[in-house]
C-alpha cells in the first residue's frame, strides 16, 4: 500500500500509547472501499471487452474479426480503440495524481477522498449509460481521475490514522482490497455475461457501490490529525488524536506531528528535495519497483484474462470462469503476504516469487508455442487446464510479492520530509506503466504471440537480480531509522548517502549552516 505524510512512530522506534478504536476500524473500511474501487476498475474491463453485446455496440470491427476464421487467434482483439477503453483510466489517473498531491496537502485527506468519490460516481454514470464510444471513454477517464485522487489520499489517510504496530498489516490490507475488487469484477462479469444485451451495463454500473461507499465514508469520517495540524488546526488535531487513539495521553505523538509538520513546512520544494543525492536510493528503488511490478506482466493477466483464455480457445463462458479462479487465487495468496511479510522479510518473498514466476511464464510460453498456432484454437482440455494452473501459479507468487511489496517498500523507505512527494512519484510511475502494458498488451500478443510470456519471464530475471544485489531488507526496521540502519549500511547505496553528507558537511563548513546532518532552512 502506498503510504506517506507523517509517521506516527517515534524516531527511536518507541510506540505511542494507542488503542484500536472504532474510528480506526471505520477508517480501514474506508480504505477498503478505495482499494475495492481500484481493483474493480482493473478487473471489469477484460470481461466486458470479451462480451459480444458490448463489442457489437462499441467495437463492431473487433466483433467481426473475433468471429472470422481468417484472423490469427492472437490478433482477434488487437484494436487501438479497445485498448484505449482499458488504458484511458490509467492515463487520467497518473495525471490526476499531481492535482491530488496538491489537494491532499492543502485541502486535507478527507476532502481529497470526497473528490475521488464524486469522480467515481459521475464516471460510473457515464459508463453505465454509455450510448457511444465517446461516453464510454469519458466515463473511464473520470474513473481514472477518481483512482488518481483515491490512491494518493486513501493510503495516506490510512497510514496516518493507524497505530504504529498495525501499520504494516494495514499496508497490505489495501492491496488485499484491490484483489477483492478484481475478484468481484470477475464474478460479476461471469454473471452478467449471461444477460443479453445489457449485461455489460450492469457490470459497469455496479462499480457505483464501492464509489458511493467511499463518498459516504469521506463525508462522515474526520480528517487525520496530521492533516489538521499541517493545515494549522492544532486544537482540532489534538482532539481528533485523543479520539482515535482512545487515550488522553497523546502529547508525545502530538508533539512529534507538530515537529514533523514544522520540518515539512521548511521544505519549500518537496519534489526538488526528492532529487537530492541522499534521497537517490529510495527514489531509484521506488521508481524501479513500479516499473518491475508492471513488467511482471500481471496486468496482462488481470485486464485480459478472459480475452487471453478466449484466445487460447476457451469458450467465452469458460474464459470468464477461469478469470474468476485467477482472481480468487490472487486474493488468497495476498493473505500469505499479510501473514509472512514481517516474519520472513521482503527479500525472501520477492526472490522466491521470482523463481516461481519465471518458471510459470517460461512453461506457458513453451506450451503455447507448440500447441496454439495462428489459425487453430486447438488447446486440448488437458493442456488448457495446465495453462490455467500455470497462470494461477504465476498469479499466486505475484500476489505475495510484487503486488503488495511494490507499494509497501516505497512507502516505508522515504524519510519523512520526502515521503509525500515520493508517494506521488510512486503512484504516477505505477499508473504510467500500468497504462503502457494495458495499451500495448493486445498488440504485443498479436505480434509476439506466445513470445510475450518469454518476454515477461526475461524481465522477471532482471528484477530478481536487482532484488538480490540492490534491494535492502527493511523488515522490522523502524520507519524513521531507515537512513541510518538501511541506506548507510548498504554496500552499494551507502555511497550516495555518504557522498551527499560530505557535500553537505562541506557546504556547512563554508556556510556554518548545518545541524545534525540536516539542512537548515
Ligand atoms: C498492482 C495492480 C495490479 C494488482 C493485481 C497491484 O499491486 O499495482 O496494477 O492490477 O496489484 O492484484
Amino acid at each position: 500500500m502506498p503510504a506517506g505524510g507523517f509517521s506516527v512512530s517515534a524516531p527511536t522506534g518507541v510506540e505511542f500509547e494507542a488503542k484500536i478504536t472504532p474510528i480506526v476500524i471505520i477508517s480501514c473500511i474506508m480504505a477498503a472501499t478505495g482499494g475495492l474501487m481500484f481493483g474493480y476498475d482493473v478487473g471489469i474491463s477484460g470481461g466486458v471487452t470479451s462480451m459480444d453485446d458490448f463489442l457489437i455496440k462499441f467495437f463492431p470491427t473487433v466483433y467481426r474479426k473475433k468471429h472470422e476464421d481468417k484472423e490469427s487467434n492472437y490478433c482477434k482483439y488487437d484494436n487501438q480503440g479497445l485498448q484505449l477503453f482499458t488504458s484511458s483510466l490509467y492515463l487520467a489517473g497518473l495525471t490526476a495524481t499531481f492535482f491530488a498531491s496538491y489537494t491532499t496537502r492543502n485541502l486535507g485527506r478527507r476532502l481529497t477522498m470526497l473528490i475521488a468519490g464524486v469522480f467515481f460516481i459521475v464516471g460510473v454514470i457515464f459508463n453505465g449509460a454509455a450510448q457511444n464510444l465517446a461516453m464510454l471513454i469519458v466515463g473511464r477517464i473520470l474513473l481514472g481521475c477518481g483512482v488518481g485522487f483515491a490512491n494518493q489520499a486513501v493510503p495516506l489517510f490510512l497510514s496516518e490514522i493507524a497505530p504504529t504496530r498495525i501499520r504494516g498489516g494495514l499496508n497490505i490490507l489495501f492491496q488485499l482490497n484491490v484483489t477483492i475488487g478484481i475478484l468481484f469484477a470477475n464474478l460479476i462479469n461471469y454473471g452478467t455475461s449471461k444477460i443479453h444485451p445489457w449485461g455489460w451495463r450492469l457490470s459497469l454500473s455496479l462499480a457505483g457501490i464501492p464509489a458511493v461507499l467511499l463518498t459516504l465514508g469521506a463525508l462522515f469520517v474526520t480528517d487525520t490529525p496530521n492533516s489538521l495540524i499541517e493545515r494549522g488546526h492544532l486544537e482540532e488535531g489534538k482532539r481528533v488524536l485523543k479520539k482515535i487513539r482512545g487515550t488522553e495521553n497523546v502529547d508525545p505523538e502530538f508533539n512529534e506531528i507538530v515537529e514533523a509538520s514544522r520540518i515539512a513546512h521548511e521544505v519549500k520544494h518537496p519534489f526538488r528535495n526528492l532529487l537530492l543525492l541522499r534521497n537517490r536510493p529510495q527514489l531509484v528503488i521506488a521508481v524501479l519497483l513500479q516499473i518491475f511490478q508492471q513488467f511482471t506482466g500481471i496486468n496482462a493477466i488481470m485486464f485480459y484474462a478472459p480475452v487471453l483464455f478466449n484466445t487460447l480457445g476457451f469458450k467465452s463462458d469458460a474464459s470468464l470462469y477461469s478469470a474468476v479462479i485467477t482472481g480468487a487465487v490472487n486474493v488468497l495468496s495476498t493473505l500469505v503476504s499479510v501473514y509472512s511479510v514481517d516474519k520472513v522479510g521482503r527479500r525472501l518473498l520477492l526472490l522466491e516469487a521470482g523463481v516461481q514466476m519465471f518458471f510459470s511464464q517460461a512453461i506457458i510460453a513453451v506450451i503455447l508455442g507448440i500447441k496454439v498456432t495462428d489459425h487453430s484454437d486447438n488447446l486440448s482440455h488437458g493442456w488448457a487446464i495446465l495453462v490455467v494452473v500455470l497462470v494461477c501459479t504465476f498469479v499466486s507468487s505475484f500476489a505475495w510479492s510484487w503486488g503488495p511489496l511494490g507499494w509497501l517498500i516505497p512507502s516505508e523507505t522515504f524519510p519523512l520530509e520526502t515521503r509525500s512527494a515520493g508517494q506521488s512519484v510512486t503512484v504516477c510511475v505505477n499508473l504510467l506503466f500500468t497504462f503502457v502494458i494495458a495499451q500495448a498488451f493486445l498488440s504485443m500478443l498479436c505480434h509476439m504471440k506466445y513470445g510475450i510470456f518469454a518476454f515477461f519471464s526475461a524481465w522477471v530475471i532482471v528484477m530478481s537480480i536487482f532484488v538480490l544485489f540492490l534491494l535492502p531488507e527493511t523488515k522490522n526496521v523502524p520507519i524513521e531509522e531507515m537512513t541510518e540502519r538501511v541506506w548507510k549500511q548498504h554496500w552499494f547505496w551507502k555511497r550516495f548517502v555518504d557522498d551527499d553528507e560530505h557535500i553537505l558537511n562541506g557546504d556547512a563548513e563554508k556556510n556554518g549552516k548545518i545541524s545534525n546532518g540536516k539542512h537548515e532552512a
Side-chain angles (χ1 to χ4, degrees):
M1 180 202 78
F6 306 120
S7 157
V8 291
S9 70
T12 52
V14 173
E15 274 201 21
F16 299 119
E17 191 179 324
K19 300 192 179 82
I20 298 175
T21 53
I23 195 153
V24 166
I25 304 297
I26 291 170
S27 312
C28 293
I29 295 168
M30 289 204 45
T33 55
L36 277 180
M37 194 65 214
F38 180 43
Y40 192 87
D41 287 333
V42 166
I44 206 71
S45 62
V48 167
T49 51
S50 71
M51 291 180 195
D52 281 351
D53 296 322
F54 179 83
L55 291 177
I56 291 170
K57 186 157 177 69
F58 298 106
F59 301 96
T61 33
V62 182
Y63 175 75
R64 276 197 300 277
K65 255 173 140 183
K66 184 178 162 188
H67 293 276
E68 268 170 17
D69 277 345
K70 291 206 299 304
E71 197 59 59
S72 158
N73 280 327
Y74 288 106
C75 299
K76 280 178 186 167
Y77 293 95
D78 180 17
N79 176 291
Q80 287 299 315
L82 190 64
Q83 291 179 173
L84 195 63
F85 166 69
T86 298
S87 60
S88 51
L89 182 140
Y90 299 92
L91 207 52
L94 74 92
T95 317
T97 335
F98 292 103
F99 296 97
S101 80
Y102 174 84
T103 59
T104 318
R105 221 177 22 247
N106 297 298
L107 304 178
R109 287 63 168 134
R110 191 181 77 92
L111 259 180
T112 306
M113 287 190 285
L114 193 61
I115 297 173
V118 172
F119 270 122
F120 281 141
I121 292 175
V122 182
V124 169
I125 294 173
F126 265 85
N127 266 353
Q131 294 304 323
N132 49 43
L133 191 58
M135 270 181 91
L136 203 63
I137 304 278
V138 168
R140 252 332 243 184
I141 289 175
L142 290 168
L143 290 178
C145 293
V147 168
F149 278 81
N151 283 21
Q152 173 85 15
V154 173
L156 273 184
F157 181 90
L158 193 75
S159 83
E160 289 176 344
I161 216 143
T164 310
R165 67 181 184 283
I166 56 166
R167 193 171 54 219
L170 288 179
N171 258 323
I172 298 186
L173 210 62
F174 179 77
Q175 169 73 10
L176 184 67
N177 285 294
V178 173
T179 62
I180 293 173
I182 297 176
L183 176 63
F184 264 113
N186 286 338
L187 281 170
I188 286 166
N189 278 339
Y190 185 56
T192 58
S193 65
K194 296 181 175 54
I195 306 173
H196 301 288
W198 50 271
W200 61 271
R201 278 196 200 279
L202 194 57
S203 284
L204 298 180
S205 305
L206 284 173
I209 297 175
V212 168
L213 285 177
L214 177 66
T215 312
L216 288 181
L219 277 176
F220 291 118
V221 165
T222 162
D223 212 339
T224 66
N226 312 55
S227 177
L228 290 165
I229 293 167
E230 188 183 21
R231 290 178 292 127
H233 308 296
L234 268 75
E235 279 314 306
E236 200 187 343
K238 193 168 198 171
R239 188 180 56 73
V240 169
L241 195 59
K242 287 181 182 166
K243 198 163 104 188
I244 61 173
R245 298 290 177 247
T247 171
E248 286 295 306
N249 177 23
V250 294
D251 281 349
E253 185 173 355
F254 177 75
N255 292 338
E256 185 169 289
I257 299 175
V258 171
E259 175 60 10
S261 153
R262 191 188 61 76
I263 296 173
H265 275 289
E266 279 178 7
V267 175
K268 291 280 175 288
H269 306 284
F271 284 95
R272 212 181 287 165
N273 190 284
L274 200 58
L275 293 175
L276 290 180
L277 208 52
R278 70 190 140 103
N279 291 319
R280 198 62 47 85
Q282 299 91 322
L283 185 63
V284 170
I285 284 182
V287 168
L288 282 182
L289 286 188
Q290 302 317 308
I291 299 175
F292 287 154
Q293 187 200 56
Q294 291 307 314
F295 274 88
T296 55
I298 186 67
N299 280 326
I301 302 210
M302 288 299 136
F303 301 147
Y304 299 116
V307 171
L308 190 68
F309 286 125
N310 231 337
T311 301
L312 302 182
F314 288 42
K315 296 274 167 295
S316 193
D317 211 27
S319 315
L320 284 174
Y321 192 63
S322 315
V324 169
I325 297 178
T326 346
V329 168
N330 195 16
V331 174
L332 294 176
S333 307
T334 307
L335 290 171
V336 173
S337 197
V338 174
Y339 176 75
S340 61
V341 70
D342 291 316
K343 298 188 171 66
V344 302
R346 286 78 169 133
R347 281 170 54 84
L348 190 75
L349 284 175
L350 289 167
L351 291 172
E352 184 284 330
V355 177
Q356 199 173 320
M357 290 196 294
F358 172 79
F359 281 109
S360 322
Q361 284 176 323
I363 300 172
I364 295 177
V366 173
I367 297 178
L368 299 193
I370 296 170
K371 291 284 168 190
V372 178
T373 57
D374 276 359
H375 296 285
S376 66
D377 41 4
N378 57 357
L379 254 198
S380 68
H381 193 63
W383 286 111
I385 288 183
L386 184 59
V387 169
V388 175
V389 169
L390 286 166
V391 167
C392 288
T393 325
F394 166 75
V395 169
S396 66
S397 46
F398 173 88
W400 60 61
S401 62
W402 285 93
L405 302 184
W407 293 111
L408 172 64
I409 296 171
S411 82
E412 64 186 9
T413 52
F414 281 103
L416 188 61
E417 64 271 20
T418 51
R419 206 170 290 151
S420 269
Q423 175 58 21
S424 291
V425 173
T426 301
V427 176
C428 179
V429 176
N430 185 277
L431 294 181
L432 176 65
F433 281 85
T434 310
F435 165 75
V436 169
I437 296 285
Q439 194 64 22
F441 176 71
L442 293 179
S443 306
M444 284 165 77
L445 183 67
C446 174
H447 293 110
M448 298 168 76
K449 307 190 166 66
Y450 58 87
I452 192 153
F453 290 98
F455 170 81
F456 287 130
S457 66
W459 274 98
V460 170
I461 298 181
V462 175
M463 63 190 81
S464 300
I465 293 174
F466 174 82
V467 170
L468 190 60
F469 294 108
L470 291 173
L471 187 81
E473 181 58 65
T474 44
K475 173 186 79 161
N476 291 340
V477 180
I479 197 162
E480 306 301 352
E481 295 176 26
M482 290 289 169
T483 307
E484 291 300 323
R485 285 175 52 179
V486 173
W487 304 113
K488 286 190 182 174
Q489 311 298 329
H490 191 269
W491 71 274
F492 180 76
W493 298 114
K494 69 176 178 201
R495 72 197 69 194
F496 291 90
V497 189
D498 289 347
D499 282 358
D500 205 35
E501 284 212 336
H502 290 148
I503 297 167
L504 276 176
N505 288 334
D507 283 355
E509 272 160 29
K510 268 190 240 139
N511 311 335
K513 255 183 141 189
I514 198 154
S515 71
N516 297 333
K518 285 203 165 152
H519 284 296
E520 281 191 352

